Amino acid sequence: MKPGLLEVMRMNRICRMVLATCLGSFILVIFYFQIMRRSPFGVDICCRKGSRSPLQELYNPTQRSLERVSPPWLELSNTAVLHQMRRDQVTDTCRANSAVSRKRRVLTPNDLKHLVVDEDHELIYCYVPKVACTNWKRLMMVLTGRGKYSDPMEIPANEAHVSANLKTLNQYSIPEINHRLKSYMKFLFVREPFERLVSAYRNKFTQKYNTSFHKRYGTKIIRRQRKNATQEALRKGDDVKFEEFVAYLIDPHTQREEPFNEHWQTVYSLCHPCHIHYDLVGKYETLEEDSNYVLQLAGVGSYLKFPTYAKSTRTTDEMTTEFFQNISSEHQTQLYEVYKLDFLMFNYSVPSYLKLE
């Protein structure tokens, strides 16, 4: 999925400014980093003893960081501007939709269970299921393992999802939580909302081994959404149609009954970006590049890289289009409203295949 039109237009305009003249570009970069060396909320950025924190590397890069790329001022300025644009997009969306995005004024520790903490490198990662979270949990296990792990791909996928293997922010006291939110670099990765939704459906409802999801959610969906369901379907719940899944998601009873499962919950409800300022928003569409940028900021980029491999079963934009062909325009419109903030907040365009009313 390509970035939103707004993001492309901004980048083109910025690139023209940067390339206009060498002198002019240099002044632009210096001015930019003078702004960015401060935390956006005016909070002092503290560092670890004997080394610089990822926050400092992000907002005020060292000369050594500048020398890693050529031409350094051009590449770093483009990267910095891109991530500032993403931060601004989140802030602007939260402000424009404050009545919806800030229904709750205060977060509780239970709201922080998706925020994984790395004490050694001063990182906080909010994991979003179906956005490469298995590989990022593997990386966090390497980063927090203090030598126990070296190759993230040697960690079995099921082990990466064992909650005891990683510490989350809700396990700290309130003062400790506030200190880490203030001092650590906070990041998350997002994905085109409907592509992520189709990926969740395919993984949880079309794979025969996911019997726990079939029993927990499949039977409920079939009972509510399928007329004249067979006793076998009601008992197994292993043949949920995508149309039934969508009808379940937009059903007001579903939303009143309990929060969505994390695999199809909205990103703004999982990570609370209108309450927590994320320093870096990575995207699934630029996953490797953004991930390695995080690792570079953490000071481990020279020996730790994001795992790359071609996944033949990956849900694509074309595949998502096919799944939505049988969804009525009324249900498409209602579903878009459920995920609208994620589309706006992370600058994803309304899909061309949608028939909104």
Side-chain angles (χ1 to χ4, degrees):
M1 177 67 66
K2 295 180 180 179
L5 179 61
L6 179 61
E7 187 170 308
V8 172
M9 292 173 63
R10 285 177 175 173
M11 283 299 295
N12 287 342
R13 185 171 66 253
I14 291 165
C15 288
R16 285 197 298 271
M17 293 170 61
V18 171
L19 292 170
T21 65
C22 183
L23 178 60
S25 299
F26 185 72
I27 293 172
L28 173 66
V29 176
I30 294 298
F31 175 68
Y32 178 76
F33 282 118
Q34 283 176 341
I35 294 173
M36 287 307 302
R37 71 176 59 197
R38 299 188 301 273
S39 167
F41 290 156
V43 176
D44 292 334
I45 299 171
C46 64
C47 59
R48 296 163 293 170
K49 292 182 179 180
S51 63
R52 290 166 55 83
S53 73
L55 272 184
Q56 288 178 313
E57 286 295 333
L58 176 63
Y59 293 118
N60 187 18
T62 60
Q63 183 63 32
R64 184 176 179 183
S65 296
L66 292 170
E67 290 170 353
R68 291 174 186 160
V69 291
S70 177
W73 51 267
L74 178 58
E75 185 168 334
L76 272 180
S77 67
N78 285 345
T79 301
V81 167
L82 172 64
H83 287 288
Q84 180 61 41
M85 284 166 44
R86 291 178 181 176
R87 287 190 290 271
D88 289 345
Q89 181 73 20
V90 172
T91 301
D92 293 345
T93 303
C94 291
R95 187 180 296 118
N97 298 273
S98 59
V100 177
S101 62
R102 289 181 176 271
K103 282 183 178 179
R104 300 171 55 196
R105 294 181 179 274
V106 179
L107 297 180
T108 66
N110 190 53
D111 295 315
L112 308 176
K113 60 186 178 183
H114 272 247
L115 278 70
V116 177
V117 180
D118 173 8
E119 298 275 2
D120 294 337
H121 302 91
E122 299 187 356
L123 298 172
I124 294 177
Y125 160 58
C126 184
Y127 72 89
V128 178
K130 309 313 298 178
V131 193
C133 78
T134 300
N135 279 348
W136 255 107
K137 285 183 176 182
R138 285 168 164 152
L139 281 172
M140 294 298 283
M141 288 176 67
V142 172
L143 290 170
T144 60
R146 301 190 177 185
K148 182 178 180 181
Y149 309 101
S150 58
D151 181 358
M153 294 310 291
E154 290 182 353
I155 301 173
N158 61 334
E159 190 174 335
H161 294 293
V162 175
S163 58
N165 286 335
L166 291 167
K167 193 167 185 178
T168 49
L169 196 58
N170 62 312
Q171 297 174 258
Y172 293 86
S173 68
I174 298 299
E176 290 172 332
I177 289 172
N178 288 331
H179 167 70
R180 282 155 183 78
L181 286 175
K182 172 182 175 181
S183 306
Y184 288 14
M185 188 179 82
K186 300 163 293 297
F187 67 97
L188 76 163
F189 280 81
V190 299
R191 184 177 186 178
E192 201 278 342
F194 285 170
E195 186 178 297
R196 174 177 169 245
L197 187 66
V198 170
S199 178
Y201 166 78
R202 292 179 64 222
N203 178 246
K204 301 305 176 187
F205 295 110
T206 69
Q207 303 296 323
K208 294 301 181 183
Y209 60 81
N210 263 323
T211 54
S212 61
F213 269 82
H214 302 160
K215 290 287 188 181
R216 174 72 176 83
Y217 296 100
T219 55
K220 181 187 299 185
I221 293 171
I222 291 172
R223 186 171 66 252
R224 291 184 184 173
Q225 307 301 332
R226 186 180 301 179
K227 295 180 179 179
N228 303 318
T230 66
Q231 288 301 311
E232 182 180 13
L234 290 170
R235 179 171 53 85
K236 290 186 175 180
D238 62 353
D239 64 342
V240 172
K241 296 179 176 64
F242 185 66
E243 298 93 312
E244 294 170 335
F245 179 52
V246 169
Y248 165 78
L249 294 175
I250 62 177
D251 184 348
H253 181 74
T254 300
Q255 300 177 43
R256 288 194 301 267
E257 183 180 51
E258 61 181 348
F260 280 177
N261 178 272
E262 63 177 9
H263 291 86
W264 49 85
Q265 180 61 282
T266 59
V267 175
Y268 80 82
S269 296
L270 289 176
C271 296
H272 311 286
C274 291
H275 295 80
I276 297 171
H277 172 76
Y278 286 91
D279 303 288
L280 195 145
V281 177
K283 290 198 169 187
Y284 193 75
E285 296 77 19
T286 50
L287 177 61
E288 184 177 355
E289 178 183 349
D290 292 344
S291 296
N292 288 330
Y293 182 50
V294 172
L295 296 174
Q296 174 191 323
L297 293 170
V300 299
S302 61
Y303 60 88
L304 186 60
K305 302 293 182 184
F306 186 80
T308 58
Y309 63 97
K311 190 176 181 181
S312 59
T313 59
R314 177 186 177 275
T315 300
T316 63
D317 181 41
E318 293 77 14
M319 198 179 295
T320 303
T321 302
E322 292 181 12
F323 272 88
F324 272 83
Q325 284 182 347
N326 295 325
I327 306 300
S328 69
S329 58
E330 179 185 3
H331 282 188
Q332 286 186 9
T333 302
Q334 291 174 301
L335 190 67
Y336 179 77
E337 286 300 316
V338 172
Y339 292 92
K340 183 177 179 179
L341 272 185
D342 278 5
F343 276 99
L344 297 175
M345 197 169 290
F346 306 115
N347 201 27
Y348 287 107
S349 304
V350 177
S352 59
Y353 56 78
L354 284 191
K355 304 180 292 290
L356 300 182
E357 292 185 342

